[in-house]
Amino acid sequence: MARPPTAPTALSPTAPAKSVRTCRPDRTWFSICAAMFVVAWGGNQFTPLLTMYRAERGFSELAVNTLLFAYVVGLIPSLLLAHRLAARWGTRDPLVLAVPLSALGSILVAAGSHNPALMFAGRMSTGVALGIGMVVGGLALDSLSTTSGRAPRASAMSLTSGFAVGAGAAGALAQWAPAPTTTSFVLHGVLCAGGAVLLARSTTSTTRTRSDPQERNRTPLPRAFHLLVIPAAPWIFGALGIAYAVLPPIVAAELAGFDSAFSGLLCLLSLGLGFVAQRLVGRTPRRTGPTRLIGLSLFVVGTLAAAVAAATASVWLVVAAASVLGIGYGLTLVGCLRDCERSAPPGRLGTMTGRVYCLGYLGFGLPTLIAWLHSSFTVDTTTSLLWVAATAVVTNLAGAVILGITRRRQAAGVFAVPAAGTTHHPGVRRG
């Protein structure tokens, strides 16, 4: 059956964009997901190596967590500006740029394993690439999708699988392969080369997300986005930061030299369960609130379990806490992205997605904050985690309460009885 005609892709951000060379949108879809996969791999492969850099390079806890957070320095500007790149150049060119930028980050980190400044620069390059891949890749998938809810789900799963497999492979290579500070980054460079070739071969023309600047600037973002999605966003990747940056050092003394493998296992476990949770979320975004709310609730439960694990140094409790946090991450991410897709005004989806990811990645600062509180004010990890859980509850509850009050006032204003002598009949213009 022939499809009904659609608006030109240069004007419609939701029109299907086929590859000019192959006329097969499925191949373009796969290449975009592959590009998002490899940049996510690059973003997270450093995480299970934190223990190795502490033990073999003598880096302090604060230093390694700063390097973990370094790619957020490149990521946040990239997230905020990526939708403008898509509006100007379309989705293809920024994605083609993102993959080699991610490879460059791996090269710099591998070459600077004794030089924190060079590693910092490499992590920043990785962050820039990841920001472009997240926002522009999500917009590209949205332009190809004809089913509501499919694009944010595929975007979240592509990123989560890249985060999981990259971290798991890096942890295993660091534990058992030769040249542990180099091997995983070389592998990532090879994957980036393959991803770039695949993207260039399968995609010759994709959607521009251009919209009228005046319309875009005067269209306000939904109030629910500010009061429900924004308070939830920091805990998306905050959950992962706790799962595989805060938890492994707690039980390092119990691991008998398998620190890197255990860190990789926690990354793979938390992200793998997050991927499964995203996979099981229904395809129809009729009710996105429960998904986000369940994810946030699991984040709080996992953080409380992590606090108990920090007090008891229990390996099994660490594993359980990381598992719950991973599922919470997966559900919160999908819920927030679907909220954006469902409620975005014309031309504002890239802005809303970028802000979600931007605030989400600020959550990766939690390990650095916890390490700083411990070193500067001797605040123990258990107390810090309890404060994190309390903050998540208070901020999200406050947003929901404020939104409820606002909606009730609006409803009361709509249905208020006019005062005597001020009756206004529909269709009659007042003088």
Side-chain angles (χ1 to χ4, degrees):
M1 180 181 295
R3 289 185 178 182
T6 58
T9 58
L11 299 176
S12 173
T14 58
K18 296 183 180 181
S19 169
V20 173
R21 184 177 299 169
T22 66
C23 294
R24 290 179 60 188
D26 287 346
R27 180 172 296 180
T28 301
W29 181 279
F30 176 77
S31 69
I32 294 168
C33 290
M36 298 177 75
F37 174 86
V38 296
V39 297
W41 177 306
N44 206 38
Q45 65 180 336
F46 185 80
T47 306
L49 308 182
L50 299 179
T51 303
M52 179 192 67
Y53 284 111
R54 291 188 199 98
E56 297 187 10
R57 294 293 183 261
F59 291 176
S60 68
E61 185 78 16
L62 183 59
V64 293
N65 283 323
T66 300
L67 288 172
L68 174 67
F69 188 66
Y71 82 118
V72 179
V73 178
L75 179 73
I76 290 179
S78 178
L79 289 171
L80 295 175
L81 299 175
H83 67 281
R84 297 186 182 181
L85 296 179
R88 179 171 299 224
W89 294 319
T91 53
R92 175 185 180 272
D93 291 346
L95 282 176
V96 171
L97 173 65
V99 176
L101 269 178
S102 186
L104 174 63
S106 287
I107 293 170
L108 292 175
V109 172
S113 59
H114 289 85
N115 186 340
L118 195 58
M119 294 176 69
F120 194 95
R123 294 288 291 160
M124 283 185 61
S125 178
T126 300
V128 172
L130 182 58
I132 295 173
M134 283 178 153
V135 175
V136 179
L139 291 173
L141 292 177
D142 186 72
S143 72
L144 290 168
S145 177
T146 57
T147 303
S148 180
R150 185 188 179 205
R153 183 166 168 267
S155 176
M157 291 173 64
S158 299
L159 294 169
T160 299
S161 59
F163 291 144
V165 179
L173 292 172
Q175 187 69 53
W176 291 294
T181 60
T182 305
T183 307
S184 61
F185 298 106
V186 172
L187 174 60
H188 176 245
V190 173
L191 291 173
C192 284
V197 170
L198 181 64
L199 189 65
R201 285 174 59 86
S202 64
T203 306
T204 59
S205 178
T206 51
T207 302
R208 289 189 179 187
T209 60
R210 189 184 303 276
S211 60
D212 178 33
Q214 293 183 351
E215 178 184 352
R216 184 175 65 243
N217 291 335
R218 67 170 175 259
T219 304
L221 298 181
R223 184 178 287 107
F225 172 75
H226 292 293
L227 295 175
L228 296 181
V229 178
I230 290 298
W235 316 113
I236 296 173
F237 295 107
L240 298 182
I242 294 171
Y244 47 65
V246 174
L247 289 176
I250 291 172
V251 293
E254 311 293 327
L255 300 177
F258 289 91
D259 302 14
S260 296
F262 184 74
S263 295
L265 175 64
L266 286 189
C267 292
L268 192 60
L269 179 65
S270 57
L271 287 161
L273 290 174
F275 179 87
V276 172
Q278 292 166 347
R279 182 72 180 85
L280 295 178
V281 171
R283 296 175 181 270
T284 304
R286 293 189 303 268
R287 299 282 305 280
T288 57
T291 301
R292 185 188 64 251
L293 182 59
I294 293 170
L296 285 169
S297 300
L298 290 175
F299 167 78
V300 173
V301 171
T303 302
L304 293 175
V308 177
T312 60
S314 168
V315 174
W316 292 110
L317 194 51
V318 162
V319 172
S323 301
V324 175
L325 287 166
I327 299 172
Y329 148 80
L331 295 179
T332 307
L333 177 58
V334 170
C336 288
L337 292 180
R338 285 187 165 186
D339 274 338
C340 292
E341 183 198 49
R342 179 178 54 84
S343 62
R348 304 305 301 272
L349 178 60
T351 300
M352 292 169 65
T353 303
R355 291 184 184 181
V356 166
Y357 281 129
C358 180
L359 290 169
Y361 263 94
L362 287 177
F364 261 129
L366 284 178
T368 303
L369 175 62
I370 291 172
W372 176 72
L373 290 173
H374 180 69
S375 62
S376 301
F377 301 99
T378 64
V379 178
D380 60 80
T381 303
T382 298
T383 303
S384 298
L385 290 171
L386 291 175
W387 276 108
V388 168
T391 303
V393 171
V394 170
T395 53
N396 283 276
L397 185 60
V401 169
I402 293 171
L403 181 62
I405 293 173
T406 303
R407 286 175 172 173
R408 282 196 298 271
R409 287 181 176 177
Q410 287 180 336
V414 169
F415 295 105
V417 178
T422 61
T423 302
H424 172 58
H425 297 282
V428 179
R429 185 182 299 273
R430 295 183 185 183

mmCIF file of all heavy atoms in Angstrom, residues 345-369:
data_model
loop_
_atom_site.group_PDB
_atom_site.id
_atom_site.type_symbol
_atom_site.label_atom_id
_atom_site.label_comp_id
_atom_site.label_asym_id
_atom_site.label_seq_id
_atom_site.Cartn_x
_atom_site.Cartn_y
_atom_site.Cartn_z
ATOM 1 N N PRO A 345 7.303 21.541 21.266
ATOM 2 C CA PRO A 345 6.739 22.419 20.244
ATOM 3 C C PRO A 345 7.543 22.299 18.955
ATOM 4 O O PRO A 345 8.668 21.777 18.964
ATOM 5 C CB PRO A 345 6.880 23.827 20.862
ATOM 6 C CG PRO A 345 7.147 23.600 22.316
ATOM 7 C CD PRO A 345 7.848 22.288 22.410
ATOM 8 N N PRO A 346 7.015 22.751 17.832
ATOM 9 C CA PRO A 346 7.743 22.664 16.562
ATOM 10 C C PRO A 346 9.127 23.315 16.659
ATOM 11 O O PRO A 346 9.275 24.430 17.139
ATOM 12 C CB PRO A 346 6.842 23.430 15.580
ATOM 13 C CG PRO A 346 5.475 23.319 16.169
ATOM 14 C CD PRO A 346 5.667 23.327 17.653
ATOM 15 N N GLY A 347 10.135 22.590 16.220
ATOM 16 C CA GLY A 347 11.494 23.112 16.196
ATOM 17 C C GLY A 347 12.220 23.091 17.521
ATOM 18 O O GLY A 347 13.351 23.545 17.610
ATOM 19 N N ARG A 348 11.607 22.559 18.601
ATOM 20 C CA ARG A 348 12.241 22.621 19.922
ATOM 21 C C ARG A 348 12.677 21.263 20.452
ATOM 22 O O ARG A 348 13.160 21.174 21.578
ATOM 23 C CB ARG A 348 11.285 23.257 20.941
ATOM 24 C CG ARG A 348 10.755 24.632 20.580
ATOM 25 C CD ARG A 348 11.849 25.638 20.284
ATOM 26 N NE ARG A 348 12.765 25.848 21.381
ATOM 27 C CZ ARG A 348 12.598 26.732 22.364
ATOM 28 N NH1 ARG A 348 11.514 27.462 22.389
ATOM 29 N NH2 ARG A 348 13.512 26.876 23.309
ATOM 30 N N LEU A 349 12.487 20.184 19.693
ATOM 31 C CA LEU A 349 12.856 18.864 20.194
ATOM 32 C C LEU A 349 14.350 18.772 20.472
ATOM 33 O O LEU A 349 14.771 18.235 21.495
ATOM 34 C CB LEU A 349 12.437 17.776 19.188
ATOM 35 C CG LEU A 349 12.817 16.344 19.581
ATOM 36 C CD1 LEU A 349 12.183 15.945 20.903
ATOM 37 C CD2 LEU A 349 12.430 15.353 18.477
ATOM 38 N N GLY A 350 15.175 19.308 19.555
ATOM 39 C CA GLY A 350 16.625 19.270 19.775
ATOM 40 C C GLY A 350 17.030 20.030 21.019
ATOM 41 O O GLY A 350 17.908 19.594 21.775
ATOM 42 N N THR A 351 16.407 21.179 21.252
ATOM 43 C CA THR A 351 16.709 21.969 22.452
ATOM 44 C C THR A 351 16.357 21.194 23.711
ATOM 45 O O THR A 351 17.143 21.130 24.664
ATOM 46 C CB THR A 351 15.924 23.292 22.417
ATOM 47 O OG1 THR A 351 16.299 24.025 21.255
ATOM 48 C CG2 THR A 351 16.219 24.129 23.659
ATOM 49 N N MET A 352 15.184 20.587 23.741
ATOM 50 C CA MET A 352 14.756 19.864 24.926
ATOM 51 C C MET A 352 15.609 18.626 25.166
ATOM 52 O O MET A 352 16.027 18.349 26.297
ATOM 53 C CB MET A 352 13.277 19.493 24.786
ATOM 54 C CG MET A 352 12.345 20.687 24.813
ATOM 55 S SD MET A 352 10.625 20.309 24.346
ATOM 56 C CE MET A 352 10.132 19.225 25.687
ATOM 57 N N THR A 353 15.915 17.889 24.104
ATOM 58 C CA THR A 353 16.769 16.705 24.248
ATOM 59 C C THR A 353 18.151 17.083 24.737
ATOM 60 O O THR A 353 18.722 16.424 25.615
ATOM 61 C CB THR A 353 16.865 15.970 22.903
ATOM 62 O OG1 THR A 353 15.551 15.626 22.450
ATOM 63 C CG2 THR A 353 17.685 14.702 23.038
ATOM 64 N N GLY A 354 18.699 18.157 24.173
ATOM 65 C CA GLY A 354 20.022 18.606 24.600
ATOM 66 C C GLY A 354 20.055 18.983 26.068
ATOM 67 O O GLY A 354 21.020 18.675 26.773
ATOM 68 N N ARG A 355 19.007 19.643 26.539
ATOM 69 C CA ARG A 355 18.975 20.028 27.951
ATOM 70 C C ARG A 355 18.850 18.812 28.866
ATOM 71 O O ARG A 355 19.453 18.771 29.951
ATOM 72 C CB ARG A 355 17.825 20.999 28.198
ATOM 73 C CG ARG A 355 18.052 22.361 27.549
ATOM 74 C CD ARG A 355 16.947 23.347 27.874
ATOM 75 N NE ARG A 355 17.145 24.605 27.159
ATOM 76 C CZ ARG A 355 16.360 25.658 27.256
ATOM 77 N NH1 ARG A 355 15.300 25.612 28.058
ATOM 78 N NH2 ARG A 355 16.609 26.752 26.580
ATOM 79 N N VAL A 356 18.084 17.815 28.436
ATOM 80 C CA VAL A 356 17.968 16.595 29.237
ATOM 81 C C VAL A 356 19.329 15.923 29.369
ATOM 82 O O VAL A 356 19.765 15.557 30.477
ATOM 83 C CB VAL A 356 16.942 15.630 28.610
ATOM 84 C CG1 VAL A 356 17.063 14.232 29.228
ATOM 85 C CG2 VAL A 356 15.536 16.152 28.812
ATOM 86 N N TYR A 357 20.021 15.750 28.259
ATOM 87 C CA TYR A 357 21.327 15.105 28.313
ATOM 88 C C TYR A 357 22.349 15.956 29.072
ATOM 89 O O TYR A 357 23.188 15.441 29.801
ATOM 90 C CB TYR A 357 21.838 14.825 26.903
ATOM 91 C CG TYR A 357 21.235 13.606 26.258
ATOM 92 C CD1 TYR A 357 20.671 13.676 24.986
ATOM 93 C CD2 TYR A 357 21.232 12.380 26.908
ATOM 94 C CE1 TYR A 357 20.130 12.564 24.380
ATOM 95 C CE2 TYR A 357 20.683 11.258 26.312
ATOM 96 C CZ TYR A 357 20.142 11.354 25.042
ATOM 97 O OH TYR A 357 19.602 10.248 24.452
ATOM 98 N N CYS A 358 22.262 17.276 28.877
ATOM 99 C CA CYS A 358 23.198 18.178 29.559
ATOM 100 C C CYS A 358 23.057 18.054 31.066
ATOM 101 O O CYS A 358 24.047 17.845 31.786
ATOM 102 C CB CYS A 358 22.941 19.602 29.097
ATOM 103 S SG CYS A 358 24.011 20.844 29.852
ATOM 104 N N LEU A 359 21.842 18.168 31.557
ATOM 105 C CA LEU A 359 21.612 18.039 32.991
ATOM 106 C C LEU A 359 21.861 16.611 33.457
ATOM 107 O O LEU A 359 22.340 16.387 34.579
ATOM 108 C CB LEU A 359 20.186 18.458 33.331
ATOM 109 C CG LEU A 359 19.900 19.951 33.181
ATOM 110 C CD1 LEU A 359 18.408 20.220 33.285
ATOM 111 C CD2 LEU A 359 20.646 20.749 34.244
ATOM 112 N N GLY A 360 21.552 15.650 32.596
ATOM 113 C CA GLY A 360 21.804 14.266 32.963
ATOM 114 C C GLY A 360 23.274 14.006 33.214
ATOM 115 O O GLY A 360 23.652 13.342 34.191
ATOM 116 N N TYR A 361 24.120 14.553 32.366
ATOM 117 C CA TYR A 361 25.550 14.303 32.524
ATOM 118 C C TYR A 361 26.161 15.068 33.676
ATOM 119 O O TYR A 361 27.252 14.722 34.136
ATOM 120 C CB TYR A 361 26.281 14.573 31.210
ATOM 121 C CG TYR A 361 26.493 13.293 30.461
ATOM 122 C CD1 TYR A 361 25.583 12.890 29.496
ATOM 123 C CD2 TYR A 361 27.548 12.458 30.753
ATOM 124 C CE1 TYR A 361 25.743 11.698 28.828
ATOM 125 C CE2 TYR A 361 27.727 11.265 30.095
ATOM 126 C CZ TYR A 361 26.823 10.890 29.135
ATOM 127 O OH TYR A 361 26.984 9.700 28.494
ATOM 128 N N LEU A 362 25.480 16.092 34.146
ATOM 129 C CA LEU A 362 25.969 16.718 35.375
ATOM 130 C C LEU A 362 25.948 15.715 36.526
ATOM 131 O O LEU A 362 26.711 15.842 37.483
ATOM 132 C CB LEU A 362 25.110 17.935 35.717
ATOM 133 C CG LEU A 362 25.304 19.172 34.833
ATOM 134 C CD1 LEU A 362 24.342 20.269 35.250
ATOM 135 C CD2 LEU A 362 26.745 19.668 34.901
ATOM 136 N N GLY A 363 25.076 14.709 36.412
ATOM 137 C CA GLY A 363 25.044 13.670 37.427
ATOM 138 C C GLY A 363 26.331 12.881 37.534
ATOM 139 O O GLY A 363 26.630 12.290 38.578
ATOM 140 N N PHE A 364 27.119 12.855 36.460
ATOM 141 C CA PHE A 364 28.416 12.190 36.526
ATOM 142 C C PHE A 364 29.401 12.949 37.413
ATOM 143 O O PHE A 364 30.489 12.443 37.699
ATOM 144 C CB PHE A 364 29.012 12.011 35.134
ATOM 145 C CG PHE A 364 28.798 10.646 34.571
ATOM 146 C CD1 PHE A 364 28.275 10.487 33.305
ATOM 147 C CD2 PHE A 364 29.113 9.511 35.294
ATOM 148 C CE1 PHE A 364 28.069 9.232 32.773
ATOM 149 C CE2 PHE A 364 28.915 8.249 34.776
ATOM 150 C CZ PHE A 364 28.389 8.108 33.520
ATOM 151 N N GLY A 365 29.013 14.148 37.820
ATOM 152 C CA GLY A 365 29.845 14.861 38.779
ATOM 153 C C GLY A 365 29.683 14.373 40.209
ATOM 154 O O GLY A 365 30.446 14.779 41.085
ATOM 155 N N LEU A 366 28.699 13.505 40.451
ATOM 156 C CA LEU A 366 28.481 13.002 41.812
ATOM 157 C C LEU A 366 29.710 12.303 42.394
ATOM 158 O O LEU A 366 30.068 12.557 43.555
ATOM 159 C CB LEU A 366 27.273 12.069 41.845
ATOM 160 C CG LEU A 366 25.893 12.722 41.781
ATOM 161 C CD1 LEU A 366 24.805 11.652 41.773
ATOM 162 C CD2 LEU A 366 25.683 13.671 42.949
ATOM 163 N N PRO A 367 30.393 11.398 41.652
ATOM 164 C CA PRO A 367 31.597 10.787 42.234
ATOM 165 C C PRO A 367 32.666 11.803 42.615
ATOM 166 O O PRO A 367 33.298 11.693 43.670
ATOM 167 C CB PRO A 367 32.086 9.851 41.120
ATOM 168 C CG PRO A 367 30.864 9.532 40.341
ATOM 169 C CD PRO A 367 30.049 10.793 40.359
ATOM 170 N N THR A 368 32.868 12.815 41.756
ATOM 171 C CA THR A 368 33.843 13.855 42.078
ATOM 172 C C THR A 368 33.419 14.643 43.310
ATOM 173 O O THR A 368 34.243 14.951 44.182
ATOM 174 C CB THR A 368 34.022 14.807 40.878
ATOM 175 O OG1 THR A 368 34.410 14.047 39.733
ATOM 176 C CG2 THR A 368 35.087 15.853 41.159
ATOM 177 N N LEU A 369 32.128 14.978 43.391
ATOM 178 C CA LEU A 369 31.620 15.712 44.547
ATOM 179 C C LEU A 369 31.788 14.906 45.828
ATOM 180 O O LEU A 369 32.220 15.430 46.867
ATOM 181 C CB LEU A 369 30.140 16.056 44.328
ATOM 182 C CG LEU A 369 29.418 16.733 45.494
ATOM 183 C CD1 LEU A 369 30.057 18.081 45.806
ATOM 184 C CD2 LEU A 369 27.927 16.886 45.186
#
